[in-house]
Amino acid sequence: MERIKSNGGEHVNPAYDANLDEPPVYQEPNGEHRTVRPSVVSAFGHDTLDRVPNIDFYRNAGSVSGHRAVRPSLQELHDVFQKNGAISVPDTVEDDGEVSSGTPSDDPESAIPSTKGAVKFGWIRGVLVRCMLNIWGVMLFIRVSWIFGQAGWGLGIVIIALSCVVTTVTGLSMSAICTNGVVRGGGAYYLISRSLGPEFGGSIGLIFAFANALAVAMYVVGFAETVVDLLKEFDSIMVDPLNDIRIIGCITVVLLLGISLAGMEWEAKAQIVLLIILLVAIVNVFVGTFIPATESKKSQGFFNYNSKIFLENFTPDFRDGESFFSVFAIFFPAATGILAGANISGDLRDAQAAIPKGTLLAILITGITYLGVALCVSATVVRDATGNITDAITSAMQCNGSVACELGYDFSSCAEERCNYGLMNNFQVMTMVSGFGPLIIAGTFSATLSSALASLVSAPKVFQALCQDNIYTALHFFAKGVGKNNEPIRGYILTFIISVAFILIGNLNTIAPIISNFFLASYALINFSCFHASYAKSPGWRPGYKFYNMWLSLLGALLCCAVMFVINWWAALLTYAIEILLYIYVTVKKPDVNWGSSTQAVTFVSAVSNALSLSGVDDHVKNFRPQILALTGSARTRPALLDLAHSFSKNYGLCLICEVIEGPRSEALNEMNAGMERNQQWLRKSKRQAFYAAVACDHFREGTESLLQASGLGRMKPNTLMIGFKRNWRTAGTEGVQSYVGILHDAFDFEYGTLMLRMDEGLDVSHIVEADDEMLKAEKEQRALDKEMMQNGGKAKGLFRKSRNSSQQVLTTRVSVCGPPPPQVAKMNERLVEASMQFKKKQPKGTIDVWWLFDDGGLTLLLPYILTTRKKWKDCKLRIFIAGQPGQSEKDKQEMKSLLQKFRINCTDINVIDDIHIQPRSESLKKLDDMIEPFRLHEGSKDYAEAEAMKKEHPCKISDEELSSFEEKTNLQVRLNEVLQENSKSANLIIVSMPIARKGSVSDFLYMAWLDILTKDLPPTLLIRGNHKSVLTFYS
């Protein structure tokens, strides 16, 4: 094998000849040359425009830094290369700052996290410590003993295990989600919104942030109540218990706010101190169980480890109306601290690795701790004790068979009246059991303060992330951060105000269930997010954490919903109601964000599945609906045509807005690619339920033929072509007329129903749209220039300094081009714009006149009926006009009336026209003659050979022979126009059966003359010709 030698550290490509292929010159806009990256040269041995894979190519546009790396486009690599040409392919692109009002200009996903000077935490300090402190709450020291007294340690283990199952499944789901891409600030809100979309994320984000703010108040009040209890013992109440709670609570929350405002580093140090105190208090409980019990402790029910006590406490002993579910509801809020680490995801060094590791380990450690403490207490303390040393049993007394009796104490009086000690009666069992009681009080303080501090930090962080996404525009004020860590100072102040407001209430027992339900709603959506993303099977769902299961996540979501009702049914209903209202609000507002949510993926999967299901079902006349392919050009070019097409399809049928871009392939492709997203976005913003499609082609007819054949998917395929009337056919030239009429022939060949709309004012408003765009662009540039000048004291800097003269020149040119048109043109444009908006607004009371002259399968009748079902057209009544034989008008009318009744189509009037066959007036025929005169061959005066040659040379023109052959049909169109003028001049819309020109027999110009004379000088007229397959049926 031949070795490839290296030269100066560079790989040498033996196939590369530098003399034959000079490197291209890349020109930057400012005239500087960009050198090719050395990595590209060294990798391939020659200069190339291609780039090696790099993470910067995959960052989102609109990054906070303003720059992102760009790879060369496919066109730049594929187009013909000019050796000395200048190709501008910048290494980075810069955002122009043009963002729509109300949408965020910064994209947190795409920003490179700035670590310079910022405090970033690892998985231990950032996640593990915070989660453990939040889960180890006051429940550990005050309620666990009571719970195991009520439920027994058998069901007590079930309660803790069930809680751990819910939190562990949620932790697994959260681990999968946060390892499926970069995680930024926002915690639960970020995870849910990026998975399920802004509707779910926006609704849960707001209530989750609010729940954390309320949790601050709840934990601080818990701390204040403990302090007030101590003050009672020492008879040191300041005012009264309730006001003392308020005073201590407000002072405490001010101190916690000070720690938070000092920065995340100080807050983290405070958490470490609180953790140490809490750990010492927990160890103190275990140590205390081994210290021999004093007589005082024995009288309170503590006897050290004893198997008989352990066995007696195994079975449940529910009292005071408690049950398994009520006891579970009291314990479960202790487990709702697993999001403490995720909530500060923006401050983690590596959130993807830290959140799964820290959260799951915290659940394991705290779960074991709760079980250990509870089982130790269950093995050492009896359920009831009097606390009286005098209740010790002497040798002369009879034992009643209880474990306490066997151990020397008679607590039988507790069966008759309530005692104050024992697992069931004393919430301070942990203090009594421990080796040093004050440490338990310190642990209680630590647990409440650490949880309050974590919530005080979490609420502003989550709220800031929500505000930065600008889902609720009124809250964008709170998006601003301060300092290297982007601290949400405004969010801290708001959280402080909310906390103080609820602390002043002094009693949070009522809102405590709501807080727990808010947290559980977040857990449910995290689990559902994982299930939904897995179910969608999107290629973008590639979590690094593999130890999850989609069905387990769904079970976790259902468990969370069930637990919400177990804790408090009315709080669960209130939570769902608030979330639904917020969901509806965000859905209606439609924030301009796209995070590639699993909701989009599932919608796509459902659409494909439904399309495939439809393809296996044969068409049925009862399910027919018009699927419109409208040749409107650009979405804004022919608004009247678009609005009428949209009225037919609305939300119930397919509507394709199509454009054929003519010209050289390279130019046409660039224009088409640039307009695709812009036109579809305009349709979406203007609430037109339609799709935009475009083809680039050398000839208009070829492009339309491609659209007619290839548009649609399976059964979701257009069946009706809608086109505007070609008003300029007399000046468009032979090729233009041939192309237009050829499209109609193609539509008939492909068995499309065909619709042609004519309005006297015209349909095309492209020149007005272009002028408006130019004026808006000029005004925008002028405002930007004025703003720059004002900011710099009248001196332009930066970009505007370089381009000031050219910019002013452009503005001057645009103003001169877009200046006011002549009065006559302005008036025409005004009428055109007014007419183009005619079908967008609600139609006044009037009629839709349907001239159903030829049976085409019923499309001519079905479409106007559909119009009358739309809100804009509900005040318009149908009038039916049919052709009848002289002397049989009443019979024809009754037959049509019977047919309409069978079709269940109501109309106000049926008119039979029995004089259509008569000769048109001479002045009407004169108009037709004048119309077709420029396009006649007049070969009748020539000899046969010359006449045949003229026909071959001008096949589109009208021969004398053709005019004579189709005289009756030509006169019919003239006569129909006269009848239309007499009967339908005041109609809101006229619908007429479209005449058909037989291929090879009727010339293109004669056919255009038929269409023109038929619809001339009338209100908006729609010519319809179905494909002669039934679209109406009277069978059930």
Side-chain angles (χ1 to χ4, degrees):
M1 178 182 286
E2 182 182 353
R3 286 184 173 273
I4 298 177
K5 299 178 182 179
S6 62
N7 183 15
E10 297 277 342
H11 291 289
V12 178
N13 184 353
Y16 171 62
D17 186 352
N19 296 322
L20 298 178
D21 185 14
E22 296 179 5
V25 177
Y26 303 111
Q27 186 88 20
E28 292 290 347
N30 58 7
E32 298 177 1
H33 294 283
R34 173 170 59 83
T35 58
V36 180
R37 295 181 183 176
S39 60
V40 178
V41 177
S42 61
F44 302 107
H46 65 93
D47 290 340
T48 175
L49 192 58
D50 261 327
R51 290 287 177 266
V52 294
N54 189 291
I55 191 173
D56 290 337
F57 293 143
Y58 297 89
R59 299 192 187 280
N60 291 347
S63 67
V64 174
S65 60
H67 297 277
R68 67 182 175 98
V70 287
R71 64 179 67 84
S73 69
L74 187 61
Q75 284 73 25
E76 289 164 341
L77 294 174
H78 182 247
D79 285 350
V80 177
F81 176 68
Q82 297 178 359
K83 184 173 289 188
N84 296 323
I87 303 178
S88 176
V89 188
D91 283 335
T92 60
V93 292
E94 191 168 322
D95 287 341
D96 58 5
E98 295 180 11
V99 291
S100 59
S101 178
T103 58
S105 58
D106 295 341
D107 184 2
E109 279 84 358
S110 59
I112 302 173
S114 175
T115 56
K116 186 177 180 181
V119 178
K120 296 292 180 181
F121 301 110
W123 70 274
I124 295 178
R125 289 179 67 192
V127 182
L128 179 64
V129 169
R130 292 173 186 278
C131 287
M132 287 195 303
L133 283 171
N134 238 23
I135 298 172
W136 281 333
V138 291
M139 193 72 66
L140 182 63
F141 300 111
I142 294 178
R143 287 290 188 274
V144 165
S145 58
W146 177 85
I147 288 168
F148 270 61
Q150 290 275 356
W153 61 265
L155 287 181
I157 291 174
V158 173
I159 289 173
I160 293 178
L162 186 57
S163 301
C164 288
V165 165
V166 174
T167 55
T168 302
V169 171
T170 305
L172 294 174
S173 300
M174 183 169 63
S175 300
I177 295 171
C178 63
T179 56
N180 191 52
V182 177
V183 178
R184 299 297 188 218
Y189 158 72
Y190 184 92
L191 299 178
I192 293 170
S193 62
R194 269 49 175 186
S195 296
L196 292 177
E199 295 84 5
F200 281 103
S203 58
I204 200 65
L206 196 61
I207 66 175
F208 184 71
F210 185 66
N212 274 284
L214 293 185
V216 176
M218 185 178 71
Y219 292 130
V220 168
V221 167
F223 167 77
E225 285 178 348
T226 308
V227 174
V228 169
D229 287 342
L230 288 176
L231 293 176
K232 286 180 182 177
E233 287 185 19
F234 295 98
D235 196 22
S236 301
I237 295 294
M238 293 180 285
V239 183
D240 57 67
L242 181 60
N243 283 312
D244 282 10
I245 288 172
R246 292 168 176 165
I247 294 168
I248 295 169
C250 290
I251 294 171
T252 304
V253 82
V254 168
L255 293 175
L256 293 177
L257 178 66
I259 295 172
S260 301
L261 293 177
M264 289 297 293
E265 184 67 26
W266 282 97
E267 187 266 348
K269 288 176 181 177
Q271 293 279 25
I272 293 295
V273 172
L274 294 172
L275 176 65
I276 292 171
I277 296 171
L278 199 53
L279 288 173
V280 171
I282 293 170
V283 171
N284 183 40
V285 173
F286 287 110
V287 170
T289 59
F290 291 98
I291 298 175
T294 62
E295 291 301 319
S296 174
K297 286 188 176 182
K298 286 181 179 180
S299 68
Q300 295 178 16
F302 175 63
F303 294 95
N304 293 109
Y305 289 100
N306 189 293
S307 60
K308 293 181 179 180
I309 295 176
F310 194 55
L311 289 174
E312 185 182 62
N313 288 335
F314 172 74
T315 56
D317 183 16
F318 294 112
R319 303 178 190 174
D320 303 325
E322 300 292 348
S323 66
F324 172 81
F325 291 109
S326 64
V327 172
F328 174 78
I330 291 170
F331 173 79
F332 187 81
T336 58
I338 62 171
L339 293 179
N343 288 339
I344 62 160
S345 53
D347 296 297
L348 299 176
R349 195 175 299 118
D350 183 4
Q352 287 179 278
I355 292 175
K357 195 187 303 181
T359 304
L360 293 173
L361 189 57
I363 293 171
L364 177 64
I365 293 172
T366 53
I368 291 173
T369 305
Y370 270 110
L371 272 177
V373 169
L375 290 174
C376 286
V377 173
S378 297
T380 57
V381 183
V382 296
R383 281 191 166 106
D384 295 293
T386 59
N388 296 324
I389 300 177
T390 56
D391 287 336
I393 298 175
T394 61
S395 56
M397 296 179 66
Q398 194 99 24
C399 188
N400 63 358
S402 68
V403 174
C405 187
E406 293 178 14
L407 294 174
Y409 277 83
D410 180 17
F411 298 141
S412 58
S413 60
C414 293
E416 299 173 4
E417 60 178 307
R418 187 183 186 90
C419 295
N420 295 325
Y421 296 95
L423 294 177
M424 302 290 283
N425 310 304
N426 183 15
F427 290 149
Q428 302 298 328
V429 166
M430 294 297 179
T431 306
M432 183 262 294
V433 170
S434 66
F436 184 62
L439 275 178
I440 300 301
I441 297 173
T444 305
F445 288 171
S446 174
T448 52
L449 292 177
S450 62
S451 297
L453 189 57
S455 298
L456 185 59
V457 171
S458 297
K461 294 282 185 182
V462 173
F463 192 58
Q464 182 187 34
L466 176 68
C467 296
Q468 283 177 337
D469 288 335
N470 214 11
I471 291 176
Y472 303 100
T473 52
L475 302 177
H476 194 60
F477 171 79
F478 296 97
K480 184 176 176 58
V482 176
K484 296 173 182 176
N485 270 54
N486 196 33
E487 295 291 346
I489 303 298
R490 296 172 180 177
Y492 281 128
I493 302 301
L494 179 63
T495 305
F496 170 77
I497 293 170
I498 294 172
S499 303
V500 169
F502 281 92
I503 286 170
L504 292 176
I505 295 174
N507 185 356
L508 296 183
N509 290 337
T510 305
I511 66 168
I514 300 176
I515 298 172
S516 298
N517 273 275
F518 280 0
F519 285 135
L520 276 168
S522 304
Y523 296 174
L525 280 180
I526 288 174
N527 283 303
F528 184 72
S529 298
C530 183
F531 164 76
H532 205 255
S534 303
Y535 177 77
K537 291 182 172 58
S538 171
W541 174 249
R542 302 184 300 275
Y545 188 84
K546 302 298 182 183
F547 303 102
Y548 74 96
N549 180 274
M550 60 182 287
W551 300 112
L552 191 63
S553 296
L554 180 61
L555 176 64
L558 295 175
L559 276 174
C560 290
C561 294
V563 171
M564 289 174 69
F565 283 96
V566 168
I567 290 176
N568 192 295
W569 66 267
W570 63 262
L573 291 177
L574 180 63
T575 303
Y576 285 129
I578 294 172
E579 189 172 340
I580 290 170
L581 287 174
L582 291 173
Y583 180 91
I584 293 171
Y585 173 82
V586 177
T587 303
V588 170
K589 286 295 183 181
K590 291 182 180 176
D592 189 14
V593 294
N594 183 6
W595 295 319
S597 67
S598 60
T599 306
Q600 295 172 347
V602 169
T603 302
F604 180 84
V605 171
S606 300
V608 173
S609 176
N610 291 333
L612 289 171
S613 299
L614 275 176
S615 64
V617 179
D618 292 335
D619 288 329
H620 194 282
V621 62
K622 287 196 296 184
N623 293 323
F624 175 86
R625 60 188 69 220
Q627 316 265 40
I628 308 293
L629 188 155
L631 290 175
T632 61
S634 175
R636 301 167 62 191
T637 302
R638 292 172 178 82
L641 194 64
L642 168 60
D643 290 331
L644 191 57
H646 184 247
S647 295
F648 289 135
S649 61
K650 199 70 179 203
N651 302 331
Y652 314 108
L654 180 68
C655 184
L656 283 177
I657 305 305
C658 298
E659 180 176 13
V660 179
I661 301 173
E662 297 179 84
R665 184 180 179 84
S666 57
E667 296 177 11
L669 282 174
N670 289 335
E671 183 181 348
M672 182 182 73
N673 294 334
M676 276 287 187
E677 185 61 31
R678 184 179 65 250
N679 281 285
Q680 189 62 57
Q681 187 177 10
W682 185 86
L683 287 171
R684 187 170 59 251
K685 287 185 175 180
S686 60
K687 297 181 180 179
R688 265 59 164 220
Q689 307 295 325
F691 300 97
Y692 173 79
V695 293
C697 210
D698 292 333
H699 302 288
F700 185 74
R701 182 180 178 183
E702 290 176 5
T704 305
E705 190 176 358
S706 300
L707 289 168
L708 290 170
Q709 292 182 85
S711 295
L713 183 69
R715 298 290 180 195
M716 298 289 294
K717 184 178 177 65
N719 54 28
T720 306
L721 171 69
M722 191 166 182
I723 192 170
F725 177 71
K726 191 173 183 67
R727 294 175 71 227
N728 66 337
W729 67 273
R730 281 181 279 181
T731 58
T734 302
E735 187 177 345
V737 173
Q738 275 184 315
S739 176
Y740 183 82
V741 175
I743 290 170
L744 299 178
H745 285 309
D746 292 339
F748 295 139
D749 286 341
F750 297 138
E751 295 189 340
Y752 272 69
T754 306
L755 282 58
M756 181 185 294
L757 177 64
R758 177 170 185 177
M759 300 178 70
D760 274 350
E761 297 83 358
L763 298 169
D764 189 356
V765 297
S766 56
H767 59 289
I768 300 174
V769 171
E770 289 174 6
D772 289 344
D773 288 345
E774 284 293 319
M775 286 298 293
L776 287 173
K777 195 171 182 181
E779 289 174 7
K780 188 174 182 180
E781 287 187 9
Q782 184 64 54
R783 284 197 302 269
L785 183 60
D786 294 342
K787 183 179 178 181
E788 183 71 14
M789 293 288 287
M790 289 176 64
Q791 288 177 348
N792 297 287
K795 295 182 179 180
K797 294 177 68 176
L799 171 65
F800 290 101
R801 181 184 61 195
K802 296 178 183 178
S803 59
R804 181 179 178 185
N805 293 332
S806 60
S807 180
Q808 288 177 338
Q809 184 179 355
V810 169
L811 287 171
T812 306
T813 304
R814 283 186 179 150
V815 170
S816 63
V817 170
C818 304
Q824 186 178 359
V825 175
K827 194 171 183 180
M828 287 175 60
N829 286 343
E830 187 179 344
R831 286 202 303 267
L832 176 58
V833 171
E834 186 179 351
S836 68
M837 296 292 108
Q838 180 171 339
F839 300 131
K840 186 178 181 181
K841 57 190 177 183
K842 191 176 187 303
Q843 299 299 304
K845 287 187 177 181
T847 63
I848 300 174
D849 288 357
V850 182
W851 291 73
W852 195 13
L853 305 176
F854 312 109
D855 194 324
D856 58 353
L859 189 66
T860 306
L861 185 61
L862 178 64
L863 290 180
Y865 165 74
I866 290 174
L867 279 183
T868 60
T869 64
R870 308 304 189 214
K871 188 184 294 186
K872 292 177 183 176
W873 294 84
K874 68 177 183 178
D875 293 333
C876 296
K877 306 300 181 183
L878 284 184
R879 289 200 304 171
I880 308 297
F881 293 83
I882 59 172
Q885 298 179 15
Q888 296 188 9
S889 298
E890 192 60 33
K891 180 183 176 183
D892 292 338
K893 183 174 182 179
Q894 289 302 320
E895 287 179 356
M896 178 56 62
K897 184 177 181 180
S898 175
L899 182 61
L900 292 176
Q901 285 176 347
K902 288 184 177 181
F903 286 148
R904 304 168 304 283
I905 293 177
N906 298 322
C907 66
T908 58
D909 195 13
I910 299 175
N911 298 279
V912 180
I913 310 298
D914 58 4
D915 59 350
I916 292 180
H917 63 281
I918 67 174
Q919 187 73 7
R921 294 190 294 269
S922 57
E923 57 267 24
S924 300
L925 290 173
K926 178 70 167 58
K927 289 180 182 178
L928 175 68
D929 291 338
D930 293 342
M931 186 184 295
I932 64 175
E933 179 61 32
F935 312 107
R936 293 187 59 181
L937 288 176
H938 292 291
E939 83 284 2
S941 58
K942 308 291 191 298
D943 58 40
Y944 179 78
E946 190 176 354
E948 290 299 316
M950 291 176 69
K951 289 179 184 178
K952 287 182 180 179
E953 185 179 355
H954 304 287
C956 295
K957 290 200 171 184
I958 306 168
S959 66
D960 293 342
E961 180 185 354
E962 175 191 6
L963 202 57
S964 175
S965 300
F966 294 99
E967 181 179 2
E968 290 182 358
K969 195 166 185 177
T970 303
N971 290 343
L972 174 62
Q973 313 311 319
V974 180
R975 176 59 185 156
L976 279 174
N977 181 262
E978 291 178 350
V979 178
L980 285 165
Q981 297 278 1
E982 294 169 7
N983 294 276
S984 299
K985 191 67 174 176
S986 60
N988 290 27
L989 178 66
I990 302 173
I991 292 178
V992 189
S993 295
M994 178 190 290
I996 291 182
R998 189 176 295 278
K999 287 191 296 184
S1001 300
V1002 179
S1003 64
D1004 295 342
F1005 280 106
L1006 179 59
Y1007 187 40
M1008 288 303 301
W1010 287 357
L1011 300 176
D1012 194 345
I1013 198 66
L1014 173 61
T1015 58
K1016 193 174 182 63
D1017 300 326
L1018 291 172
T1021 304
L1022 186 67
L1023 298 177
I1024 298 180
R1025 174 65 70 158
N1027 62 0
H1028 286 247
K1029 293 180 181 178
S1030 294
V1031 299
L1032 293 171
T1033 182
F1034 48 79
Y1035 294 107
S1036 59

